[in-house]
Amino acid sequence: SRQLSLMQIRSLIFDLDGTLIDSSDGVVDAVNFAFRQMGLPERAPEIIKPYIGYPLEGMFADLTDAPVDQLYRHFQTRAIDSVVKSSTILPEVSQVLMELRAQGYQMAIATTKIRIHVEAIVRKFGWEGLFDAYVAGNDVGKVKPDPEAILLSIKRLGSHAADSLVIGDTENDILAAQGVPTRVVAVSSPYGGDQRVKALNPDFSISSLSQLIPILDRANGKTTVTT
């Protein structure tokens, strides 16, 4: 990505869960609802949360032998209410998004969440004016770590891989960006797994989203004044 680093960054593509929001309580609730509907025991939150941001089918296959398609259907029935209702904005996120918007960056969300959830979450937080495009899990044939969601985000922004930057908290975000390839920032996840993410050598690693602004200032040749 050394040649990429010579280009200015104009477009920002954000993962949603663990990067901008925390919907883990609603995800745990919907997963356990699905298990109950199938007569299966519930699982503790600490077992479910590390799977957030990854495809649901993989989690169900890891945790049970029950039919994944039926579990998925039960999950979505419950999640329409529980995931959106439980979602909270991670610290500093709204201020950072508004600042980036004011600076003229184009912004997209690329997530494994289905589109109905993405749109409801954006409405809930009043973010409609901040994002130029969304790519949801049901907009693509293959979800992250496949690069399709990032490529489609770039296309919907009318942008290019060379002037884009992906921001995410899981291995799938890093791998999807590297598959394009485009630059990628790893932000610490509230659900753990930071060591696995850092092992993939993202271009930048940050512990909170507010650290994104100085990275962009440096990449775009703006001088930052420190006091």
Side-chain angles (χ1 to χ4, degrees):
S1 71
R2 294 288 64 85
Q3 279 178 307
L4 290 177
S5 64
L6 301 174
M7 287 286 292
Q8 290 215 330
I9 295 165
R10 294 186 180 84
S11 299
L12 306 174
I13 300 164
F14 292 90
D15 171 55
L16 188 55
D17 227 329
T19 301
L20 302 180
I21 68 163
D22 179 358
S23 67
S24 58
D25 288 349
V27 171
V28 169
D29 174 79
V31 168
N32 280 325
F33 173 82
F35 285 149
R36 288 197 305 276
Q37 295 303 106
M38 302 286 286
L40 298 165
E42 294 190 13
R43 301 302 170 102
E46 56 269 23
I47 290 175
I48 296 169
K49 285 185 182 183
Y51 286 99
I52 292 174
Y54 296 87
L56 276 170
E57 293 86 347
M59 178 193 65
F60 286 133
D62 279 357
L63 297 181
T64 175
D65 294 329
V68 168
D69 58 334
Q70 291 179 44
L71 285 162
Y72 183 84
R73 205 162 55 243
H74 289 309
F75 174 93
Q76 295 298 2
T77 301
R78 180 77 162 202
I80 285 170
D81 288 325
S82 71
V83 167
V84 177
K85 203 174 285 175
S86 81
S87 292
T88 57
I89 305 172
L90 288 168
E92 307 171 330
V93 164
S94 281
Q95 302 91 302
V96 171
L97 291 176
M98 287 189 282
E99 171 65 22
L100 293 170
R101 192 61 172 177
Q103 289 187 21
Y105 289 99
Q106 290 188 294
M107 300 196 289
I109 290 171
T111 175
T112 305
K113 272 187 166 29
I114 62 171
R115 191 168 190 91
I116 191 171
H117 293 170
V118 180
E119 290 173 346
I121 286 164
V122 166
R123 275 198 307 275
K124 175 179 175 172
F125 298 134
W127 287 351
E128 294 95 335
L130 295 177
F131 292 99
D132 304 287
Y134 317 122
V135 174
N138 52 341
D139 289 342
V140 291
K142 287 183 177 169
V143 295
K144 298 179 285 187
D146 191 276
E148 187 182 349
I150 308 302
L151 288 164
L152 185 55
S153 299
I154 291 168
K155 185 178 174 185
R156 286 182 175 171
L157 289 173
S159 193
H160 305 279
D163 61 13
S164 298
L165 180 70
V166 172
I167 303 96
D169 68 311
T170 70
E171 294 156 286
N172 282 355
D173 299 311
I174 312 305
L175 291 167
Q178 291 173 341
V180 170
T182 189
R183 284 167 289 186
V184 61
V185 174
V187 59
S188 287
S189 178
Y191 314 129
D194 287 347
Q195 291 316 115
R196 295 199 307 273
V197 169
K198 287 195 173 115
L200 294 172
N201 295 318
D203 297 275
F204 310 94
S205 292
I206 58 178
S207 56
S208 84
L209 208 66
S210 60
Q211 294 170 295
L212 179 60
I213 291 174
I215 285 173
L216 290 167
D217 286 347
R218 282 200 303 277
N220 289 335
K222 297 179 192 167
T223 51
T224 48
V225 179
T226 52
T227 51

